[in-house]
Amino acid sequence: MFWKKSGSRKPAPADGPFTEQQAAALQAFRLPSWQQPVPQEWWQKDDDTITLNLPFAAHSSLLSELGSLACFAGMRFKINCRIEKLSNSQPELPLIYGNVIVVSSGKGGVGKSSVAVQLALALAETGATTGLLDADVYGPSLPTMLGGGDEKQDMSPQNKLIPHLRHGVHVSSMGYLADAKEAAIWRGPMASAALQQLFRDSQWPRLDYLVIDMPPGTGDIQLTLAQKMPVTGAVVVTTPQNVALADAEKGIAMFRKVGIPLTGLVENMSFYHCPNCGFEEAIFGRAGGERVAHDYDVPLLAQLPLASAVREALDAGAPLLASDPDHELNQPLRAMAAAIAGQLYLQEKAKCA
Ligand SMILES: Nc1ncnc2c1ncn2[C@@H]1O[C@H](COP(=O)(O)OP(=O)(O)OP(=O)(O)O)[C@@H](O)[C@H]1O
């Protein structure tokens, strides 16, 4: 097991780079969705800077809690990501796609595309080269959420589609090519062929992560697509309502049946957070995602709030991570991205153990 390699979990001795108190605080620190402390050797101290060296994407703000502790007064924290390329379900494909994260949902309208878009932005924000493929060919919504719908599609001299660079993410979507209403009437095989073309005939830069926004549902089309793509891990998005959870369970079963690694569950619209008084209400019920995660033994990677500011920003083609980076609603999204990237890494290490 990976953890054993990193040696004893005891705090570093006081004469190491850290004082005893500092070592204990680092030991108690947890990355989002990690049960264990990060290996001690990932921490590095240079003068007044403490760096966490990670093999996956995570935003430095995740360390702000540590920075506010008295034992670290006068010190600054940062995360340095050197993203490791993990294995995927199609090892024969070229490495340029990086770590491929499929975002799916059993049911429409739960916020799958919103999660895919914000995940891609949060990964790109850490410096990771990130692509986003709109596989939701029936209703491509990425040009709406990321803007630039009227930009023309550039082609390379080799006649490949050059992905649109939107808010730091390389995006390929049928929505930039075809009329969305036209795409909506395509039948299964046509949509599947179009998607594969979009995937293979896009001139992606060498990516660290490729996020794929799948069509909603758990039918044959979704199954075929998932099997034809090089998947590092699949994320299932749900809301806490029983109807959505029942469909999320079908999604989990679908990925398990065809042997696609399941990274975990994201619960969207978990609660409403009133921006005026701070009151929180679980509009769609409580603890549904936790129950499914427990019953199916998959990690619950995030519980995202329902917030009108999120919807308004997405409708305007400028998600909050891009248009208002300091907004408080970005923190759960950054934690989600780190949870997903970290979980992909942990699952790979568990495979190798
Ligand atoms: N956490 C949230 N808070 C507020 N609005 C949200 C949130 N998540 C998603 N939305 C809004 O809900 C609507 C549906 O979201 P989205 O299109 O992402 O769902 P979907 O599951 O991808 O739908 P489809 O099945 O049609 O592809 C959008 O208007 C989006 O802005």
Side-chain angles (χ1 to χ4, degrees), residues 105 107-114 136 141 145 216 268-269 305-308 310-311 314-315:
S105 67
K107 183 179 176 302
V110 296
K112 168 187 53 60
S113 299
S114 313
D136 198 349
S141 46
M145 295 183 176
N268 189 30
M269 310 187 195
L306 171 72
S308 51
V310 168
R311 186 199 53 73
L314 288 165
D315 280 355

mmCIF file of all heavy atoms in Angstrom, residues 105 107-114 136 141 145 216 268-269 305-308 310-311 314-315, ligand 1:
data_model
loop_
_atom_site.group_PDB
_atom_site.id
_atom_site.type_symbol
_atom_site.label_atom_id
_atom_site.label_comp_id
_atom_site.label_asym_id
_atom_site.label_seq_id
_atom_site.Cartn_x
_atom_site.Cartn_y
_atom_site.Cartn_z
ATOM 1 N N SER A 105 -24.483 11.328 -15.497
ATOM 2 C CA SER A 105 -25.577 11.360 -14.522
ATOM 3 C C SER A 105 -26.605 10.360 -14.992
ATOM 4 O O SER A 105 -26.746 10.124 -16.196
ATOM 5 C CB SER A 105 -26.207 12.750 -14.442
ATOM 6 O OG SER A 105 -26.862 13.040 -15.658
ATOM 7 N N LYS A 107 -29.727 10.794 -14.558
ATOM 8 C CA LYS A 107 -30.954 11.555 -14.845
ATOM 9 C C LYS A 107 -30.569 12.931 -15.392
ATOM 10 O O LYS A 107 -29.542 13.476 -14.976
ATOM 11 C CB LYS A 107 -31.689 11.710 -13.506
ATOM 12 C CG LYS A 107 -33.005 12.401 -13.531
ATOM 13 C CD LYS A 107 -33.580 12.420 -12.115
ATOM 14 C CE LYS A 107 -34.867 13.203 -12.049
ATOM 15 N NZ LYS A 107 -34.742 14.582 -12.481
ATOM 16 N N GLY A 108 -31.404 13.468 -16.287
ATOM 17 C CA GLY A 108 -31.135 14.797 -16.844
ATOM 18 C C GLY A 108 -31.416 15.902 -15.829
ATOM 19 O O GLY A 108 -32.175 15.712 -14.878
ATOM 20 N N GLY A 109 -30.762 17.024 -16.022
ATOM 21 C CA GLY A 109 -31.082 18.223 -15.250
ATOM 22 C C GLY A 109 -30.519 18.292 -13.839
ATOM 23 O O GLY A 109 -30.853 19.193 -13.077
ATOM 24 N N VAL A 110 -29.641 17.357 -13.472
ATOM 25 C CA VAL A 110 -29.104 17.383 -12.104
ATOM 26 C C VAL A 110 -27.882 18.301 -11.972
ATOM 27 O O VAL A 110 -27.354 18.509 -10.875
ATOM 28 C CB VAL A 110 -28.734 15.965 -11.584
ATOM 29 C CG1 VAL A 110 -29.965 15.089 -11.473
ATOM 30 C CG2 VAL A 110 -27.681 15.308 -12.477
ATOM 31 N N GLY A 111 -27.426 18.824 -13.118
ATOM 32 C CA GLY A 111 -26.279 19.734 -13.078
ATOM 33 C C GLY A 111 -24.985 19.082 -13.540
ATOM 34 O O GLY A 111 -23.896 19.547 -13.215
ATOM 35 N N LYS A 112 -25.115 18.049 -14.353
ATOM 36 C CA LYS A 112 -23.926 17.337 -14.846
ATOM 37 C C LYS A 112 -23.008 18.263 -15.652
ATOM 38 O O LYS A 112 -21.803 18.309 -15.393
ATOM 39 C CB LYS A 112 -24.394 16.144 -15.689
ATOM 40 C CG LYS A 112 -23.333 15.473 -16.507
ATOM 41 C CD LYS A 112 -23.944 14.433 -17.422
ATOM 42 C CE LYS A 112 -25.060 14.978 -18.264
ATOM 43 N NZ LYS A 112 -24.677 16.093 -19.164
ATOM 44 N N SER A 113 -23.603 18.993 -16.609
ATOM 45 C CA SER A 113 -22.758 19.880 -17.433
ATOM 46 C C SER A 113 -22.138 20.975 -16.570
ATOM 47 O O SER A 113 -20.972 21.338 -16.756
ATOM 48 C CB SER A 113 -23.574 20.515 -18.562
ATOM 49 O OG SER A 113 -24.083 19.506 -19.392
ATOM 50 N N SER A 114 -22.903 21.513 -15.618
ATOM 51 C CA SER A 114 -22.373 22.558 -14.729
ATOM 52 C C SER A 114 -21.179 22.015 -13.951
ATOM 53 O O SER A 114 -20.162 22.693 -13.804
ATOM 54 C CB SER A 114 -23.423 23.006 -13.718
ATOM 55 O OG SER A 114 -24.633 23.239 -14.350
ATOM 56 N N ASP A 136 -22.303 15.596 -24.710
ATOM 57 C CA ASP A 136 -23.749 15.725 -24.608
ATOM 58 C C ASP A 136 -24.240 16.255 -25.953
ATOM 59 O O ASP A 136 -24.739 17.372 -26.061
ATOM 60 C CB ASP A 136 -24.091 16.675 -23.452
ATOM 61 C CG ASP A 136 -25.532 16.520 -23.007
ATOM 62 O OD1 ASP A 136 -26.298 15.849 -23.730
ATOM 63 O OD2 ASP A 136 -25.882 17.068 -21.957
ATOM 64 N N SER A 141 -24.430 22.110 -24.161
ATOM 65 C CA SER A 141 -24.678 23.333 -23.395
ATOM 66 C C SER A 141 -23.391 24.081 -23.059
ATOM 67 O O SER A 141 -23.436 25.145 -22.465
ATOM 68 C CB SER A 141 -25.446 22.994 -22.113
ATOM 69 O OG SER A 141 -24.867 21.891 -21.477
ATOM 70 N N MET A 145 -22.514 27.864 -21.326
ATOM 71 C CA MET A 145 -21.904 28.024 -20.002
ATOM 72 C C MET A 145 -20.517 28.661 -20.058
ATOM 73 O O MET A 145 -20.051 29.215 -19.065
ATOM 74 C CB MET A 145 -21.801 26.665 -19.308
ATOM 75 C CG MET A 145 -23.160 26.074 -19.013
ATOM 76 S SD MET A 145 -23.010 24.541 -18.120
ATOM 77 C CE MET A 145 -24.731 24.170 -17.821
ATOM 78 N N PRO A 216 -26.909 12.633 -20.624
ATOM 79 C CA PRO A 216 -27.527 12.089 -19.409
ATOM 80 C C PRO A 216 -28.122 10.708 -19.659
ATOM 81 O O PRO A 216 -28.485 10.389 -20.785
ATOM 82 C CB PRO A 216 -28.629 13.101 -19.093
ATOM 83 C CG PRO A 216 -28.920 13.794 -20.381
ATOM 84 C CD PRO A 216 -27.650 13.776 -21.169
ATOM 85 N N ASN A 268 -24.943 17.391 -6.235
ATOM 86 C CA ASN A 268 -25.143 18.794 -6.585
ATOM 87 C C ASN A 268 -26.457 19.274 -5.987
ATOM 88 O O ASN A 268 -27.353 18.469 -5.731
ATOM 89 C CB ASN A 268 -25.153 18.925 -8.121
ATOM 90 C CG ASN A 268 -25.148 20.371 -8.581
ATOM 91 O OD1 ASN A 268 -24.610 21.251 -7.910
ATOM 92 N ND2 ASN A 268 -25.749 20.643 -9.733
ATOM 93 N N MET A 269 -26.560 20.559 -5.765
ATOM 94 C CA MET A 269 -27.773 21.167 -5.197
ATOM 95 C C MET A 269 -28.112 20.514 -3.854
ATOM 96 O O MET A 269 -29.277 20.241 -3.545
ATOM 97 C CB MET A 269 -28.959 21.042 -6.159
ATOM 98 C CG MET A 269 -28.635 21.515 -7.577
ATOM 99 S SD MET A 269 -30.085 21.546 -8.614
ATOM 100 C CE MET A 269 -29.375 21.663 -10.252
ATOM 101 N N PRO A 305 -23.510 23.424 -3.071
ATOM 102 C CA PRO A 305 -24.734 24.166 -2.754
ATOM 103 C C PRO A 305 -25.514 24.572 -4.008
ATOM 104 O O PRO A 305 -24.939 24.700 -5.092
ATOM 105 C CB PRO A 305 -24.197 25.413 -2.037
ATOM 106 C CG PRO A 305 -22.802 25.571 -2.513
ATOM 107 C CD PRO A 305 -22.295 24.199 -2.828
ATOM 108 N N LEU A 306 -26.813 24.756 -3.816
ATOM 109 C CA LEU A 306 -27.670 25.342 -4.850
ATOM 110 C C LEU A 306 -27.601 26.849 -4.644
ATOM 111 O O LEU A 306 -27.878 27.326 -3.546
ATOM 112 C CB LEU A 306 -29.101 24.825 -4.649
ATOM 113 C CG LEU A 306 -30.219 25.440 -5.473
ATOM 114 C CD1 LEU A 306 -30.118 24.993 -6.917
ATOM 115 C CD2 LEU A 306 -31.578 25.016 -4.914
ATOM 116 N N ALA A 307 -27.208 27.578 -5.664
ATOM 117 C CA ALA A 307 -27.044 29.022 -5.459
ATOM 118 C C ALA A 307 -27.350 29.758 -6.754
ATOM 119 O O ALA A 307 -26.867 29.363 -7.825
ATOM 120 C CB ALA A 307 -25.607 29.316 -5.015
ATOM 121 N N SER A 308 -28.150 30.810 -6.644
ATOM 122 C CA SER A 308 -28.530 31.516 -7.873
ATOM 123 C C SER A 308 -27.312 32.159 -8.545
ATOM 124 O O SER A 308 -27.266 32.270 -9.763
ATOM 125 C CB SER A 308 -29.615 32.547 -7.593
ATOM 126 O OG SER A 308 -29.225 33.357 -6.516
ATOM 127 N N VAL A 310 -24.439 30.872 -8.955
ATOM 128 C CA VAL A 310 -23.822 29.852 -9.809
ATOM 129 C C VAL A 310 -24.564 29.793 -11.142
ATOM 130 O O VAL A 310 -23.966 29.811 -12.217
ATOM 131 C CB VAL A 310 -23.843 28.466 -9.103
ATOM 132 C CG1 VAL A 310 -23.484 27.339 -10.046
ATOM 133 C CG2 VAL A 310 -22.914 28.476 -7.895
ATOM 134 N N ARG A 311 -25.911 29.716 -11.067
ATOM 135 C CA ARG A 311 -26.710 29.625 -12.290
ATOM 136 C C ARG A 311 -26.556 30.866 -13.148
ATOM 137 O O ARG A 311 -26.362 30.776 -14.361
ATOM 138 C CB ARG A 311 -28.195 29.401 -11.945
ATOM 139 C CG ARG A 311 -29.050 29.145 -13.167
ATOM 140 C CD ARG A 311 -30.523 29.384 -12.929
ATOM 141 N NE ARG A 311 -30.840 30.697 -12.363
ATOM 142 C CZ ARG A 311 -30.792 31.841 -13.030
ATOM 143 N NH1 ARG A 311 -30.416 31.857 -14.303
ATOM 144 N NH2 ARG A 311 -31.097 32.983 -12.438
ATOM 145 N N LEU A 314 -23.245 30.855 -14.949
ATOM 146 C CA LEU A 314 -23.203 29.853 -16.026
ATOM 147 C C LEU A 314 -24.071 30.290 -17.204
ATOM 148 O O LEU A 314 -23.692 30.123 -18.363
ATOM 149 C CB LEU A 314 -23.666 28.485 -15.499
ATOM 150 C CG LEU A 314 -22.695 27.768 -14.550
ATOM 151 C CD1 LEU A 314 -23.388 26.627 -13.825
ATOM 152 C CD2 LEU A 314 -21.477 27.239 -15.308
ATOM 153 N N ASP A 315 -25.219 30.851 -16.922
ATOM 154 C CA ASP A 315 -26.094 31.326 -18.000
ATOM 155 C C ASP A 315 -25.441 32.454 -18.792
ATOM 156 O O ASP A 315 -25.700 32.630 -19.978
ATOM 157 C CB ASP A 315 -27.429 31.855 -17.427
ATOM 158 C CG ASP A 315 -28.397 30.728 -17.099
ATOM 159 O OD1 ASP A 315 -28.053 29.569 -17.407
ATOM 160 O OD2 ASP A 315 -29.472 31.001 -16.529
HETATM 161 N N1 LIG B 1 -25.463 24.155 -7.864
HETATM 162 C C1 LIG B 1 -26.254 24.854 -8.667
HETATM 163 N N2 LIG B 1 -26.851 25.992 -8.239
HETATM 164 C C2 LIG B 1 -27.679 26.679 -9.065
HETATM 165 N N3 LIG B 1 -27.989 26.334 -10.316
HETATM 166 C C3 LIG B 1 -27.424 25.205 -10.786
HETATM 167 C C4 LIG B 1 -26.532 24.422 -10.006
HETATM 168 N N4 LIG B 1 -26.129 23.367 -10.767
HETATM 169 C C5 LIG B 1 -26.732 23.494 -11.960
HETATM 170 N N5 LIG B 1 -27.517 24.591 -11.987
HETATM 171 C C6 LIG B 1 -28.361 25.068 -13.093
HETATM 172 O O1 LIG B 1 -29.304 24.034 -13.398
HETATM 173 C C7 LIG B 1 -29.544 23.970 -14.806
HETATM 174 C C8 LIG B 1 -29.277 22.560 -15.311
HETATM 175 O O2 LIG B 1 -27.891 22.300 -15.165
HETATM 176 P P1 LIG B 1 -27.079 21.433 -16.221
HETATM 177 O O3 LIG B 1 -27.400 21.844 -17.625
HETATM 178 O O4 LIG B 1 -25.686 21.435 -15.772
HETATM 179 O O5 LIG B 1 -27.733 20.006 -15.954
HETATM 180 P P2 LIG B 1 -27.484 18.662 -16.743
HETATM 181 O O6 LIG B 1 -27.619 17.582 -15.739
HETATM 182 O O7 LIG B 1 -26.215 18.713 -17.504
HETATM 183 O O8 LIG B 1 -28.678 18.697 -17.750
HETATM 184 P P3 LIG B 1 -28.907 17.838 -19.087
HETATM 185 O O9 LIG B 1 -29.388 16.553 -18.589
HETATM 186 O O10 LIG B 1 -29.944 18.619 -19.807
HETATM 187 O O11 LIG B 1 -27.612 17.735 -19.821
HETATM 188 C C9 LIG B 1 -28.643 25.028 -15.436
HETATM 189 O O12 LIG B 1 -29.385 26.196 -15.644
HETATM 190 C C10 LIG B 1 -27.573 25.293 -14.368
HETATM 191 O O13 LIG B 1 -27.060 26.610 -14.425
#
